[in-house]
Amino acid sequence: MTVPTGAAGPAGLISPRLRAGDRVRFVSPASRPEREHVTRGAEILSGWGLDVEIASHAFDSFGHYLAGRDEDRLGDLNDALRDPGVRAIVATTGGKGAYRIAGGLDFAAARRDPKPLVGFSDITILHLVLWQRCRLIGLLGPHAAWQDWYGSQAADALRRALMQPEPVTVHQDPGELTAKVLIEGRSSGILMGGNLDTIGRSVGWACPSFDGAILLIEDVDKYIGAMDRTLTQLLECGCLDGVRGVAVGQFIRSADQRPGKWSIVDLLYDRLGLLGVPVLGGLPIGHGAHPPTIPLGATATLDTNTRTLTIEPGVQ
């Protein structure tokens, strides 16, 4: 099943919407989650009538930051991709480690039976490589290890993104630091991206072309120099050639404004201004409270006049 993307690029694989009784698999491709948080996530999704399963190695531990050995985490994810009864896959958490297994995904299974993968932060690498290799539309959304700061608003947004095919509109939050970043214009394209640092780490092996795309970026706990290096890398390697617009989410605890020092606002103007495309900051997407669920790989329209990012459904 495909959704047309017009001039923005090739059609993407869009998954069927979820319905009551469908099976959902929780997997841990990156770091180890807290068991009680996963239990809470399972309760929420079960309350929507979904049949929640937890992968065999979801609570394994290897080293001090991985949810088990690479082969076990990869095996759990590929089992979910290959199982025709599993209709959605939700990462339990991000952290570190998804990049270690991204190249081993069963891309043939993903193409044969598209199903949405939900997750953000380190899970960005999986969204990128699944688009690069399969054109699979994913969902940048809260993890299954449900945190208190997600809340009912985030739960409802995730439910609608999985079960109700309708466009998602994200409005600028004037209270976000990056709301000061604005280069006027309106553009449409395929929404791609996620965590900025992870996008940079994907260059050369898992990073798709952003030609014809609206690039979404966000990050947390990063120094100004590290973000400068990543943005410059993306510019110099040609990854951003043909980008149609940039949607700027939250940059939490990352170069706030201080006297005599560059802030994230200064850096984004300096780097993104070179692209000559519309840029809209202040979108409440990222590591903050009440995260929305955003389809990645779907057609989006960025409009600085209305201060909105509108994305077509990620399921049908």
Side-chain angles (χ1 to χ4, degrees):
M1 291 166 284
T2 61
V3 56
T5 62
L13 290 174
I14 186 167
S15 309
R17 75 181 80 177
L18 269 63
R19 293 177 169 81
D22 281 347
R23 289 162 52 203
V24 176
R25 183 81 53 84
F26 287 3
V27 300
S28 298
S31 293
R32 184 179 185 274
E34 295 293 332
R35 190 178 293 268
E36 59 268 29
H37 293 163
V38 173
T39 298
R40 176 59 182 146
E43 291 172 350
I44 290 171
L45 269 67
S46 295
W48 305 339
L50 300 173
D51 183 5
V52 176
E53 306 171 343
I54 299 176
S56 300
H57 299 281
F59 300 111
D60 286 2
S61 181
F62 182 65
H64 69 280
Y65 58 85
L66 295 173
R69 297 181 179 274
D70 291 352
E71 57 267 30
D72 291 330
R73 288 180 290 113
L74 178 60
D76 278 354
L77 186 47
N78 278 338
D79 284 346
L81 288 171
R82 294 165 181 157
D83 188 335
V86 173
R87 300 319 313 152
I89 305 169
V90 184
T92 60
T93 191
K96 300 177 180 67
Y99 47 85
R100 294 171 61 125
I101 66 172
L105 297 184
D106 189 337
F107 300 109
R111 285 189 292 267
R112 183 172 60 248
D113 182 21
K115 59 194 72 173
L117 169 68
V118 182
F120 72 108
S121 195
D122 192 59
I123 307 305
T124 295
I125 195 73
L126 302 180
H127 290 307
L128 291 171
V129 76
L130 283 167
W131 178 260
Q132 180 203 52
R133 299 287 295 273
C134 305
R135 293 296 188 263
L136 180 65
I137 295 174
L139 296 175
L140 191 80
H143 297 128
W146 203 261
Q147 307 289 312
D148 290 340
W149 50 272
Y150 285 172
S152 59
Q153 181 178 324
D156 187 58
L158 176 59
R159 180 190 60 79
R160 286 185 281 109
L162 287 169
M163 305 181 78
Q164 294 177 211
E166 56 189 24
V168 177
T169 297
V170 182
H171 295 263
Q172 183 191 69
D173 179 356
E176 292 285 348
L177 175 60
T178 62
K180 298 176 181 178
V181 181
L182 183 73
I183 299 177
E184 293 186 355
R186 186 180 189 274
S187 61
S188 296
I190 298 300
L191 187 68
M192 288 302 303
N195 180 258
L196 176 62
D197 183 70
T198 304
I199 296 170
R201 307 287 178 176
S202 74
V203 171
W205 67 285
C207 188
S209 169
F210 294 124
D211 185 8
I214 302 294
L215 176 67
L216 170 66
I217 56 174
E218 60 84 23
D219 221 321
V220 61
D221 293 326
K222 293 295 185 302
Y223 293 112
I224 189 80
M227 295 182 290
D228 189 357
R229 283 194 296 270
T230 300
L231 288 168
T232 302
Q233 175 190 20
L234 294 172
L235 287 165
E236 293 294 336
C237 74
C239 286
L240 302 187
D241 292 353
V243 161
R244 296 185 175 182
V246 183
V248 180
Q250 297 161 317
F251 279 75
I252 297 173
R253 298 184 299 275
S254 299
D256 290 344
Q257 291 182 314
R258 297 178 184 177
K261 293 188 176 182
W262 257 18
S263 71
I264 184 61
V265 173
D266 299 311
L267 176 63
L268 292 175
Y269 266 123
D270 180 80
R271 299 285 79 190
L272 300 181
L274 298 172
L275 296 171
V277 300
V279 178
L280 177 64
L283 297 169
I285 302 170
H287 286 70
H290 315 298
T293 299
I294 305 298
L296 292 175
T299 301
T301 298
L302 181 146
D303 191 333
T304 64
N305 184 47
T306 59
R307 303 292 199 270
T308 58
L309 174 69
T310 301
I311 313 103
E312 292 302 307
V315 297
Q316 68 178 9

